[in-house]
Structures are given as C-alpha cells and as structure tokens.
Amino acid sequence: MPFIRLVVCSLALLTVAKLALAHDGPDPLARWRFDSESLVANSDESVSLRARRGPDGAVIGKHQIRGKKYDETLYLPGGQNAVVLAKNHNELKKYLPTEHMTVSMVVSIDQPQQWGGLVGVVQDDGEDESGWIVGYNDEVFTFALRGTEGTGRLTYLAGKTKYEQGKLYHVVATYDGKLMQLFVNGKLDAESKEQAGPIFYPTKSPFVLGGYVDSNEFNGHKGRMREIVLYDLAAKPNWVAHDFEHNANLTSLPAEEVQEPLSFVMKPYLQFGTQTTMTVMWRTNRPGAGTLFYGETDECPHKIKLVDAKEIHEIKIEGLEPETQYFYRTETKLKPGDEPLSSEVATFQTAVKRDTPFAFAVISDTQGNPKVSGTVGDFAWAQRPSFLLHAGDLVSTGKNESHWTEHFFPSMNPLMRHVPTFPVLGNHEQDAKFYYDYFSLPEPEYYYQFRFGNSDFFMIDTNRNVDPESEQYKWLEKALSESDATWKFVCHHHPPYSSDENDYGNLWKTNKSTRGDLDARQLVPLYEKYDVDIVWNGHIHSYERTWPIRDNKAVVDGAPVYMITGGGGGNLETPGPVRPFFMNTVRRGHHYVMVRINGTRLEFQAYDIENRLFDEMVISKKPADD
C-alpha cells in the first residue's frame, strides 16, 4: 500500500512539475516579458514586442518602460493603445489553447473600467459571444470564457479581491474543460462549472495583450505589465501558489503612480457660442492649470487663467463683439515654471445678428465609426458652417470613456475647434456623466434652447418623458409660444416619422408598423400649433426627408418637415419595402447636411460620404409685414 500511495502521489504531481519547469522549458505556448530588451524599434518607426516564446506583437500607440533592469515593466496609457499579436487570431492557432488552458501574469491597473482587458481572444457583441479573456472591471479581476458544450454564451468570473490602483498583482486563470478558476496573488478568487468542452473561439477576432478588443470595442489597458505566460494545460492550485511565490516580492511593493508626460486627451473645442460669448473646453491626461489666450489677431493678446488644477478645462470668454472673427489657443501647466502644453492657434466667430445670413451643419449617429464621422466632419468644415447641430448617438457606449476620447472628439476636432457644437442625447449616450462633463450647455442640459441669427433652436431629450404632462413638453410649449424667431427648429434623437424597415415593426414579415417613434410623436401637435419649420432626428442610420405634415397628412407647405440625418457613422439601415404617405426622399448611406438661411429664405442640401449632393430643398416665407 505505501508503494501504491507513492505512485498515485507522483502521478498527481506530474502536471504540476511540468508546469513548474515551464519557465525554462518548452511547455508554454507563449511567453512575453515586457522589458526594454523585448521592445524593438523598427525602421518605419513602429515598435515590436519580441516574444520569449510564441508570436511577436505590434505595440500600438503610446507606451513607456518603467523600472530598473530585471524589474522593468511596460506601461500602457489606456485608450487605443495595446499590443496586437494578430488582427485575426486564426493566423496564430498553434499558439492558442484549445481544450485546457492556464494564463499567468503580473500586472497593475491604473484606471478601472467596465470592460478592461489584459490578454485574450474574445468577441462579445450581443448574441455573438465567444473566446476567452482575462481582464478586470471597475473593482476586481475577471476571467471570461465560452466552451463548446457550455451555456452558448461567455461566462464572466468576477473575483472577490478588490485591486488597488497602481499596485502589481499576480493573476492566473485556468480552464480544464469543465472548471474555470481565477486566482489572485496565489489564492482562488472565483470559479465556475458553467462551461464545458474545448474553447469556442470566434470566427475572427484579434489576439491582444493589454486590451479588451473585439469587432466593435477597443478598450486599451492603463497600467503596467511585467509578464504574461500562456499554457495549454490546466494548472492546479498548488502550482499557482508556487508560481506566486516567485513573484511575491513584486506584489508586495507599494502602489506606483506612473507620471505620464502632460498631453491632450481631447484637444480644445468650442461650446455654446453666442453673439458675445464663447466657451472653450479641452481635457489633459493630468490635472493642470489652464490658460486661454484669445484676441482679434493670431497673437492672442488677451488671456483668462484658471488657478485650480483640472483635467477637464472649461473657460468662457465674455464681452465679445457679435459676428466677429477671433483667434484662440490654450496652455496647460502642471506647476508654475513648467514648460506648458500648448495648443495650435484656431479661430471662431461669434453668433451673427438677426438680419445676417448664416449656415450650419447637421450630423447624427456618429457612433463608433471615427473614420466616417471624421470624413463627414471634415467635409462639413470645408463648407464653413457657423455651428454644428448633432441629433444624438455621438458615441456607441456613453459610459465607455474611450468612445468619447478615442472616437468622437478626435474625429470631429477639425470641425469642433472652429465652430461650437449643439448636441442632444441619443439612446447610446446612456445619459452618462461624460456627456455632461464634456459639453457646456444651459441647465438642465438634456433640454435647452439657443438663438442664432433669426432662428430659435429647441433641443429635447426623447429618452425621457415627453408626454403632455412631462416637464419637457410643458417647457417646450412655453418656449415655442414665446418665440418671435423667423425660423423655428427642433432637434431630438427619435423620429416621429420613419419608413425604416424594422425599428417600428418588421415590414418584411408584416405590414404592421408604427412608422416612427410613438413617444416622440406626442410632440407633433406642438410643432403644428406653433409653426415649427423643421424637426431634425437621428436614431435610424439613414437619410429621410418628409413632406410637410399636418394632421397626419402630407401637405404642400405651411407645416413641419421631419428629417432623419442618422448617417454620421453608425451601421447603415434600410427603408421598408413600400412608400408611406409622408416620405419625400429616403436614402441609405453615410452623409451630412447643410442649412443656409438668409432672412425668409432657407436652402437645404444633403451630401454623401463622397461629398456629392443628393438632395436639396428651398423654403421661402413671406416677410412678416406682408
């Protein structure tokens, strides 16, 4: 019997011993050490990560090497910065575990985020969930995986150990075909038996270190990475504890705050311009004291200085002259005497007087497609609008900070640094705090009014109540009734009228459809009663212009026209198979529109992603004294 016990014990430890020797032997599928020796600058100025074993990677974006030799770590600053091993993981199949896996790493988290990623191949998009990823959320480390015989979805393990920002942790995730386990600093933190069978991989997803990346997400890791090792074996708890002992000296170190060089997170842009004021905003990666320089020449002789150190800077210039061109630039300092972070000189014009012609651009649903939103924004800027009207869904996920800092603001900055933007909330903003932080609007911000030239604009949030007893309805009726403007425009995200194929009833399966958002349609009586000229909407990712509509019938003139301008970047949608009574023009394609006003004449033109004109309209009113 003693001999039998010895044999059984030896067999039980075999897998452990094999893994324990894996640091020096051929057992790992891949191993990456994030130090200066492993990072190689290429002739094209790109940087590669050379693997100790397995595939090399491309370092995307900014990075720093931290620490002394033998203790070096790679610091990634978040955003769209990561190490991409392959844009399509199928290129690296031999380096990916199939039936069993262990991944071990030493990392720190400097910025919590809802969907943080450290290493993995994952797709998490609605019903399409597959692959695996080790990462973190706002408080703890996580491990997600889908097996071929599991629930048909990813199982997300969330640990119990709350991480301290800036502190190094030893994190291990294992899967043996039946059991998922997550270990933090050598101890079991979470486990699940929901998944079974070989790992179910997505058909096409990148293999990434230092990021949560799939077909529609790119959440770069902000923090340090020392080492990641990947095996096609499932480690036992005693091996994990042994591996932790080798890294305990690192995890016992105090948290380290990495001081990044001062830089722009969002370059200066304009907000809520009037005839005598303009607000300038920008965001830096570290709190600093901001100064705004402005004037009627590019020397910008006047300045406004903020004493308090902030990341989000907001400065309002007052006492300006109407319809006048000004120049401005910004400086930010961490402390007095430092070299400032300076912006380039840009221009703006204050709002025009009542009788002066002007023009503005309308764009909507820029969400998650900076290439398209940047293109239509640049085309709009080339036409020199006085401002931008945005009908909502600025980003894909309002609570995801990177969607603001990496998608919307960088792509739209060439336009927004020259003209103010007046937005409304879409459903994708999720009423997130970022919207209120990044835009300077009159209280309560989710609805407001502004005057430009001879026109009044009424901005509404149709994600909230708009029924006749609601706060917004009552405010809007009062504001419309008091307006003496020549032109009255309303902007909200959801369209009262739409010919879309399936948002309001699947018109390829039934002829039943509400043909628009019924909640938003509760506002239509106000538009007809108070002579609103045009209502701009988004939500549907296409273009549509109605005939003038009164009493739910198309008329020739003298009634509101409804326009969907949802072609700023979102995935395109298609109209239903038949023409409803209200449709004048419909078009599938990315686009922007321009509106030009001269007294009682309005000219409207719509342009596609190639900047080609595809629709136009003219409205002429009789002068008020006729």
Side-chain angles (χ1 to χ4, degrees):
M1 293 299 291
F3 176 75
I4 294 175
R5 286 196 197 98
L6 179 60
V7 171
V8 173
C9 184
S10 298
L11 290 172
L13 290 172
L14 181 59
T15 300
V16 176
K18 191 175 182 181
L19 278 173
L21 294 172
H23 289 288
D24 301 314
D27 291 329
L29 287 169
R31 180 187 179 195
W32 299 276
R33 178 73 173 86
F34 301 97
D35 56 15
S36 54
E37 291 184 4
S38 302
L39 266 64
V40 178
N42 303 314
S43 58
D44 61 357
E45 298 186 356
S46 64
V47 177
S48 296
L49 172 69
R50 296 289 172 82
R52 301 295 171 91
R53 181 176 177 83
D56 296 339
V59 182
I60 307 299
K62 301 175 182 178
H63 64 277
Q64 295 180 39
I65 292 294
R66 306 289 302 177
K68 299 179 181 179
K69 194 171 184 180
Y70 307 118
D71 288 323
E72 290 177 327
T73 57
L74 175 68
Y75 175 79
L76 295 172
Q80 293 195 319
N81 303 284
V83 179
V84 177
L85 303 174
K87 293 183 178 179
N88 185 347
H89 69 278
N90 291 312
E91 302 170 12
L92 302 175
K93 279 187 175 180
K94 66 179 181 178
Y95 297 112
L96 290 171
T98 53
E99 297 183 0
H100 309 134
M101 69 169 288
T102 295
V103 59
S104 172
M105 66 196 76
V106 176
V107 296
S108 75
I109 299 169
D110 283 27
Q111 179 176 293
Q113 53 181 317
Q114 185 179 9
W115 303 104
L118 297 167
V119 55
V121 173
V122 69
Q123 178 61 42
D124 188 358
D125 184 15
E127 297 181 357
D128 185 7
E129 298 186 14
S130 50
W132 62 270
I133 187 166
V134 181
Y136 52 93
N137 59 27
D138 292 328
E139 295 185 332
V140 298
F141 291 97
T142 61
F143 174 33
L145 181 142
R146 177 183 172 185
T148 56
E149 302 169 17
T151 62
R153 305 179 72 89
L154 289 164
T155 292
Y156 273 92
L157 286 183
K160 301 179 184 67
T161 302
K162 293 186 178 182
Y163 56 77
E164 180 183 349
Q165 293 182 46
K167 188 175 177 63
L168 288 170
Y169 287 86
H170 176 258
V171 181
V172 175
T174 69
Y175 175 64
D176 66 1
K178 296 180 180 180
L179 177 67
M180 294 170 59
Q181 291 185 310
L182 177 65
F183 300 83
V184 178
N185 286 351
K187 296 181 179 180
L188 182 64
D189 219 36
E191 63 181 4
S192 171
K193 293 182 179 180
E194 286 187 357
Q195 299 296 335
I199 299 170
F200 186 85
Y201 280 98
T203 55
K204 184 180 180 181
S205 280
F207 191 177
V208 176
L209 311 176
Y212 189 112
V213 184
D214 65 7
S215 64
N216 64 350
E217 300 281 345
F218 194 132
N219 304 327
H221 173 57
K222 185 172 183 179
R224 291 176 290 158
M225 304 172 66
R226 186 176 191 272
E227 184 176 60
I228 295 178
V229 191
L230 180 63
Y231 307 89
D232 59 357
L233 300 169
K236 302 297 183 182
N238 50 356
W239 178 87
V240 176
H242 180 73
D243 195 48
F244 168 65
E245 290 176 5
H246 288 291
N247 297 283
N249 62 320
L250 296 171
T251 61
S252 64
L253 295 173
E256 175 183 326
E257 181 181 359
V258 178
Q259 296 295 325
E260 301 175 64
L262 186 63
S263 63
F264 286 112
V265 175
M266 298 178 325
K267 294 182 178 179
Y269 59 97
L270 301 174
Q271 282 290 282
F272 210 83
T274 71
Q275 289 187 359
T276 59
T277 67
M278 183 65 72
T279 296
V280 179
M281 297 186 69
W282 70 101
R283 182 182 169 188
T284 50
N285 63 333
R286 297 172 61 185
T291 303
L292 174 68
F293 297 85
Y294 70 97
E296 295 188 28
T297 69
D298 64 355
E299 294 180 353
C300 303
H302 309 295
K303 70 178 180 180
I304 303 173
K305 185 175 182 179
L306 297 179
V307 177
D308 295 338
K310 298 181 179 179
E311 286 189 6
I312 300 175
H313 309 266
E314 179 179 339
I315 298 179
K316 183 178 182 180
I317 312 172
E318 299 182 291
L320 302 174
E321 293 296 321
E323 55 186 59
T324 300
Q325 176 182 337
Y326 289 91
F327 297 80
Y328 76 97
R329 64 179 180 86
T330 68
E331 287 186 358
T332 312
K333 292 183 179 181
L334 294 175
K335 58 181 183 295
D338 281 358
E339 186 71 21
L341 172 67
S342 300
S343 72
E344 61 184 291
V345 175
T347 61
F348 67 80
Q349 185 182 41
T350 47
V352 300
K353 299 175 183 178
R354 186 174 182 123
D355 58 352
T356 301
F358 67 97
F360 59 96
V362 185
I363 300 174
S364 185
D365 295 79
T366 46
Q367 58 186 68
N369 197 339
K371 182 177 181 180
V372 170
S373 60
T375 299
V376 296
D378 288 350
F379 284 147
W381 163 235
Q383 299 218 33
R384 297 302 188 264
S386 302
F387 59 89
L388 168 65
L389 196 72
H390 198 298
D393 277 4
L394 296 86
V395 295
S396 291
T397 309
K399 293 181 180 179
N400 188 322
E401 184 178 18
S402 69
H403 288 195
W404 298 95
T405 60
E406 301 290 339
H407 296 173
F408 179 73
F409 281 99
S411 69
M412 299 295 287
N413 187 264
L415 174 62
M416 293 177 65
R417 71 169 175 258
H418 292 291
V419 303
T421 298
F422 297 90
V424 295
L425 283 155
N427 54 294
H428 278 267
E429 273 69 70
Q430 302 174 324
D431 202 33
K433 185 174 182 294
F434 294 121
Y435 178 87
Y436 299 93
D437 287 344
Y438 296 153
F439 292 100
S440 181
L441 305 170
E443 293 289 343
E445 296 191 74
Y446 59 87
Y447 69 84
Y448 61 97
Q449 175 185 357
F450 70 95
R451 165 67 68 95
F452 203 98
N454 64 355
S455 304
D456 271 345
F457 296 79
F458 306 89
M459 315 295 279
I460 296 294
D461 179 12
T462 46
N463 299 284
R464 289 177 167 85
N465 292 334
V466 290
D467 61 272
E469 297 303 314
S470 68
E471 177 186 2
Q472 289 193 96
Y473 189 102
K474 293 176 179 178
W475 170 84
L476 180 59
E477 179 163 27
K478 183 175 185 297
L480 285 170
S481 67
E482 294 174 350
S483 174
D484 63 352
T486 304
W487 299 93
K488 298 176 186 177
F489 304 117
V490 177
C491 181
H492 50 73
H493 187 60
H494 300 87
Y497 296 96
S498 169
S499 65
D500 181 73
E501 62 182 351
N502 57 19
D503 272 53
Y504 305 105
N506 192 329
L507 291 170
W508 296 102
K509 294 184 177 181
T510 174
N511 64 359
K512 305 300 181 185
S513 171
T514 60
R515 299 289 192 177
D517 189 280
L518 295 184
D519 286 336
R521 201 174 292 174
Q522 295 177 98
L523 297 169
V524 166
L526 292 183
Y527 304 154
E528 296 178 3
K529 180 179 180 180
Y530 294 105
D531 299 321
V532 169
D533 297 287
I534 299 176
V535 179
W536 275 288
N537 311 120
H539 195 56
I540 305 302
H541 299 172
S542 67
Y543 172 84
E544 184 161 11
R545 174 167 64 87
T546 72
W547 290 104
I549 299 174
R550 183 174 296 279
D551 297 328
N552 209 37
K553 294 180 181 179
V555 297
V556 176
D557 56 24
V561 173
Y562 298 84
M563 293 189 191
I564 297 172
T565 58
N571 293 328
L572 294 172
E573 298 182 78
T574 305
V578 298
R579 172 180 285 266
F581 78 88
F582 54 77
M583 181 197 294
N584 179 296
T585 303
V586 69
R587 188 178 191 277
R588 185 180 190 274
H590 292 117
H591 62 274
Y592 73 100
V593 305
M594 290 292 300
V595 184
R596 304 172 180 89
I597 292 176
N598 183 3
T600 56
R601 181 180 175 86
L602 180 150
E603 297 180 354
F604 167 89
Q605 294 180 324
Y607 299 85
D608 67 14
I609 191 64
E610 302 296 331
N611 212 24
R612 297 172 298 201
L613 177 68
F614 68 83
D615 189 30
E616 56 186 335
M617 172 183 70
V618 174
I619 302 175
S620 292
K621 292 187 173 187
K622 294 180 179 180
D625 55 354
D626 281 7

